[in-house]
Amino acid sequence: MGEELAEQYPRLPPVTHILSALGGQPVSNSGGGIFAGGNAPSGGHLAEVTLQLVAGAQREVGTLEVAQRWREAVGVVPDVEELSFNASSFSTGAEIDIQLEGADLDEISIVANKIRKRLGEYPGVMDIADSFRAGKREIQLEILPAGEALGLNLGMLASQVRQAFYGEEVQRIQRGRDDVRVMLRYTESERRNLSALDAMRIRTAAGSEVPFATVAKATLGRGFSAIKRIDGRRVVNVTADVDRTVITANEILAEFGAGPVQEIMQDHPRVSFSLEGTQREQGDTAATLVPMFILALFVIYALLAIPLRSYGQPLIIMSVIPFAFIGAVWGHVIMKAAGLLDSMAIMSIMGSVAASGVVINSSLVLVHAVNNRRSDGLGVFDAVIDAAVTRCRPIMLTSLTTFAGLTPLLLNQSVQAGVLVPMATSVAWGVALATVVTLLVVPASYMIREDIVGRKVNQPSLAESTLG
């Protein structure tokens, strides 16, 4: 693929270096560093290939496109447990991460396989995997009722089998600077033959010895390479990546959680599920952001109500805040259509919140101008019209300069600026739309308020109506 990209872009080949690692995954397990530490998993079953590309501002192809072309070129690799392609320089987790909890790991594995199968039916979902990994083949011991009657338990049985096949240290001999451990165990020929297990004799708590086959049973099975627990419950994570040009993770989970997941969980009531990864981060951020945003709105209202000495005018000024959110959404649609942005992210929501504090500036200027003209003796209608006309130019210039100041960031396609572009999009386009709306909605809202207040003042009391 590197050669194909070099032929397609001869002026500056995108791929500069290729690192292949067999026996470990030094880059993906490094936590952002060059190489992983000593705690990273290793083994002949692990491998990794890393492509280093030229800077994003210089190459003509994006990292997501390179990853997709690489994924299509590799195709399906037989007998691979997990095959993933990562083109993100930083990440809060998988786009889709469904965590299953339960007491029976085998049942959780069945549910994970069903979810993986249903996720594969959605277009744009790729790199579907789960955290369940079967371990090596092993001999699993089980105590029979006859053994329990003699006072044996699984710990005593496992300890004696370990002594027979692994050995028990009975002596240490000093030889120079080293210690030589003397281990007592079966001979090598016996340790290589499973029939020796059935023939061995097990000591009971009373000190007597009985044949292994009468008190225990040994079966061949497969254990687990790792068991993950949260609050004492075993968990398995089903993860997947999403092609955002086709569909978003929120769209998939909204449909998937409403139907397929419920159908699967009906057959397995002892298994529960929750969303982790990016979805968990979004939920936690939203849970923190919403109450703080409500508090900010209250503070803004108080700061406006005190100097204006009015309960209604702050609401007029703050009426443009919803249009800032609308402008942020349309800004993302425009930026996505222009190929400058993927989709809305949590930083987009933060930018919308920030824009809500910016857009009220123009509205405040306009309401203040109306109040000044009314204090000079103008009528309500004339004061509103005159203020809207005279303050139109400064309001527009303020918003245009804000938008122009954020334009370099909006058009920046570097990796470092990628996290800030969604926020800048929300602020810039939110301010732009709210400015236009300010010159229309705020004057109209002011007139509506005056009509309501005037009607209440001029409305006759019940006694006057009766006398009349």
Side-chain angles (χ1 to χ4, degrees):
M1 189 194 65
E3 294 175 356
E4 292 178 357
L5 290 174
E7 294 177 359
Q8 185 176 356
Y9 306 99
R11 185 180 62 85
L12 184 62
V15 181
T16 58
H17 297 88
I18 300 177
L19 170 65
S20 300
L22 180 62
Q25 297 170 331
V27 176
S28 59
N29 291 321
S30 62
I34 300 300
F35 294 105
N39 295 328
S42 61
H45 62 292
L46 297 175
E48 182 181 66
V49 180
T50 304
L51 298 184
Q52 181 178 345
L53 308 180
V54 298
Q58 300 176 6
R59 50 184 156 84
E60 305 175 42
V61 60
T63 54
L64 295 178
E65 182 181 348
V66 173
Q68 183 61 29
R69 292 179 60 171
W70 194 0
R71 182 181 290 107
E72 295 173 354
V74 172
V76 179
V77 180
D79 299 329
V80 168
E81 289 288 343
E82 180 179 357
L83 180 64
S84 61
F85 298 82
N86 184 17
S88 301
S89 57
F90 57 90
S91 175
T92 58
E95 288 286 338
I96 298 177
D97 189 345
I98 302 175
Q99 182 173 279
L100 305 174
E101 298 183 12
D104 189 354
L105 199 56
D106 293 331
E107 185 178 11
I108 299 176
S109 177
I110 294 174
V111 176
N113 290 331
K114 291 182 178 180
I115 291 179
R116 289 180 58 178
K117 183 178 179 181
R118 295 297 294 269
L119 284 176
E121 299 175 357
Y122 289 87
V125 180
M126 50 199 177
D127 299 343
I128 306 174
D130 61 60
S131 60
F132 178 79
R133 296 290 181 270
K136 298 179 180 179
R137 295 186 63 191
E138 61 185 16
I139 298 175
Q140 299 175 349
L141 304 180
E142 181 182 354
I143 289 287
L144 297 178
E148 294 178 347
L150 294 175
L152 291 173
N153 55 47
L154 197 57
M156 298 171 59
L157 178 66
S159 176
Q160 296 187 44
V161 172
R162 174 186 171 85
Q163 291 173 350
F165 286 85
Y166 178 78
E168 179 76 11
E169 181 180 339
V170 294
Q171 188 181 5
R172 287 193 181 188
I173 302 174
Q174 187 74 25
R175 287 188 177 178
R177 299 174 57 184
D178 301 325
D179 286 339
V180 177
R181 298 183 180 184
V182 179
M183 307 290 292
L184 178 62
R185 60 186 179 185
Y186 283 174
T187 62
E188 183 177 359
S189 60
E190 290 176 320
R191 286 185 280 115
R192 291 182 176 274
N193 192 350
L194 288 180
S195 60
L197 180 62
D198 293 330
M200 74 175 294
R201 304 185 71 82
I202 303 298
R203 295 183 300 275
T204 65
S208 60
E209 296 183 353
V210 294
F212 175 88
T214 60
V215 295
K217 181 175 65 174
T219 57
L220 287 175
R222 188 177 294 274
F224 309 107
S225 61
I227 298 178
K228 180 181 177 182
R229 286 184 175 89
I230 295 180
D231 296 333
R233 292 169 60 87
R234 295 179 174 181
V235 298
V236 171
N237 291 74
V238 180
T239 58
D241 199 2
V242 176
D243 185 358
R244 295 183 181 180
T245 61
V246 179
I247 195 172
T248 64
N250 291 331
E251 293 174 347
I252 294 174
L253 293 174
E255 181 181 349
F256 189 73
V261 167
Q262 304 301 329
E263 297 176 3
I264 295 174
M265 292 303 171
Q266 286 179 356
D267 300 331
H268 304 277
R270 296 184 300 174
V271 179
S272 60
F273 77 96
S274 61
L275 298 180
E276 301 293 327
T278 303
Q279 303 300 317
R280 175 67 177 271
E281 291 292 333
Q282 291 182 1
D284 293 343
T285 303
T288 306
L289 199 61
V290 170
M292 296 302 294
F293 179 60
I294 295 175
L295 177 62
L297 292 179
F298 176 78
V299 173
I300 292 173
Y301 180 85
L303 292 175
L304 294 174
I306 293 173
L308 293 176
R309 298 180 181 179
S310 172
Y311 294 110
Q313 289 188 2
L315 296 178
I316 298 175
I317 296 173
M318 297 174 64
S319 64
V320 298
I321 291 180
F323 296 97
F325 286 89
I326 297 174
V329 173
W330 277 105
H332 281 77
V333 173
I334 296 172
M335 294 288 288
K336 185 176 182 179
L340 301 175
L341 192 64
D342 290 335
S343 59
M344 293 192 71
I346 192 63
M347 297 299 291
S348 305
I349 306 300
M350 294 183 178
S352 300
V353 174
S356 64
V358 177
V359 297
I360 64 173
N361 295 337
S362 301
S363 181
L364 175 60
V365 169
L366 184 56
V367 172
H368 182 66
V370 174
N371 291 337
N372 286 340
R373 282 155 179 77
R374 291 193 65 187
S375 63
D376 293 338
L378 288 180
V380 177
F381 183 79
D382 294 333
V384 168
I385 295 299
D386 185 68
V389 172
T390 56
R391 306 311 298 172
C392 177
R393 180 181 298 177
I395 289 175
M396 293 296 294
L397 288 177
T398 302
S399 301
L400 289 176
T401 52
T402 303
F403 191 93
L406 292 171
T407 300
L409 182 57
L410 295 177
L411 302 179
N412 196 325
Q413 295 298 298
S414 64
V415 176
Q416 293 80 3
V419 68
L420 298 176
V421 173
M423 177 182 288
T425 301
S426 297
V427 175
W429 290 94
V431 170
L433 178 63
T435 299
V436 178
V437 172
T438 298
L439 299 172
L440 301 175
V441 173
V442 172
S445 301
Y446 198 101
M447 292 298 300
I448 293 173
R449 174 183 174 276
E450 290 299 322
D451 290 342
I452 295 175
V453 173
R455 187 177 296 111
K456 288 183 178 180
V457 172
N458 297 326
Q459 185 176 8
S461 61
L462 180 61
E464 292 176 346
S465 300
T466 305
L467 292 176

